[in-house]
Amino acid sequence: MTCSNIYDLRKIPIYYEELKSKKIFTNALCEMDINKKYVHLIYYKKHNIPICSLPKLGIVIISKKSFLSFCYNFYLFINSFNTKNIPITKQNVYSIGKIALCHEIGHILDPDLSSIKSNSIQIITSIAEGIKKYDIDLKNDSYYKQNLPLELENYIVEFKKNTISREINAWNIGKNIITFESELEKYIFEKMKEYALATYNYGNLKNIVIENNVENYIKSLC
């Protein structure tokens, strides 16, 4: 384990409250080298809404539950490898929030986002057509575990590559607008990027169908 004690995870919500929750993100935004009038934060204390951005509106949405969940999962990811220790400290919880925010702002500032989204829609449409063409029964709980036609497998790979390209752009832009306070904070940035990209690479057809409303695309083909 890279954490000195896995039970230190219990300190994360304590540090979060000591950092005044929302102020983690408002303070981090103030530190960034961007025009602040183009970025707006919406913070939810009670709702469990994933950390995400609405690029056209210049909005980053954050919720307490999703941020704490991300922290837990990130530290569990770190503990899966024999890598440099990232202690669970108040400063490091702040750094995680700061880095998560710069990544979402990276999506807002990405000049290629529209073309990447357009490619994504085309690939999703192709996936929907492939499901219909090969008569894949989405009601079968194990449909995504079966041997899929090569054509459909290729679309899945294309979708992952397109999504990872979008995420890499956001991480690279985020890195240019953030001021790192230490070498450890730079290291946290790189490990968070690694963790985030890994989650997109592990997706399967079922994830893609659910998260992108592919069934609606299929219905539109009927």
Side-chain angles (χ1 to χ4, degrees), residues 129-147:
E129 291 173 345
I131 290 172
K132 183 176 174 59
K133 175 181 177 181
Y134 294 105
D135 196 25
I136 294 173
D137 183 8
L138 299 183
K139 294 180 181 179
N140 181 343
D141 289 339
S142 61
Y143 75 87
Y144 64 100
K145 298 178 182 178
Q146 300 170 3
N147 290 330

Side-chain angles (χ1 to χ4, degrees), residues 22-121:
K22 184 180 179 180
K23 286 191 175 181
I24 293 175
F25 309 102
T26 54
N27 291 342
L29 181 60
C30 289
E31 294 180 29
M32 294 181 192
D33 184 21
I34 58 171
N35 190 331
K36 310 298 189 298
K37 71 178 183 179
Y38 294 119
V39 177
H40 309 280
L41 303 180
I42 295 180
Y43 175 81
Y44 293 94
K45 188 172 184 179
K46 296 183 179 180
H47 296 80
N48 186 13
I49 299 173
I51 300 172
C52 62
S53 59
L54 303 176
K56 288 186 178 181
L57 300 176
I59 292 173
V60 178
I61 300 174
I62 302 161
S63 69
K64 174 181 177 179
K65 290 182 179 179
S66 65
F67 177 67
L68 292 179
S69 176
F70 179 88
C71 288
Y72 295 140
N73 291 331
F74 174 62
Y75 271 107
L76 291 172
F77 170 79
I78 292 298
N79 274 279
S80 300
F81 304 95
N82 185 22
T83 56
K84 178 180 176 182
N85 182 38
I86 300 177
I88 298 176
T89 64
K90 186 190 296 188
Q91 177 57 46
N92 288 345
V93 170
Y94 175 77
S95 294
I96 291 171
K98 173 180 173 181
I99 293 165
L101 179 62
C102 84
H103 168 252
E104 295 304 332
I105 293 175
H107 284 303
I108 293 173
L109 301 178
D110 183 3
D112 298 324
L113 188 61
S114 293
S115 61
I116 290 175
K117 282 191 172 182
S118 177
N119 287 340
S120 181
I121 291 171

Side-chain angles (χ1 to χ4, degrees), residues 143-158:
Y143 75 87
Y144 64 100
K145 298 178 182 178
Q146 300 170 3
N147 290 330
L148 297 173
L150 181 60
E151 181 182 11
L152 197 51
E153 291 280 13
N154 287 336
Y155 289 144
I156 293 169
V157 172
E158 279 186 53

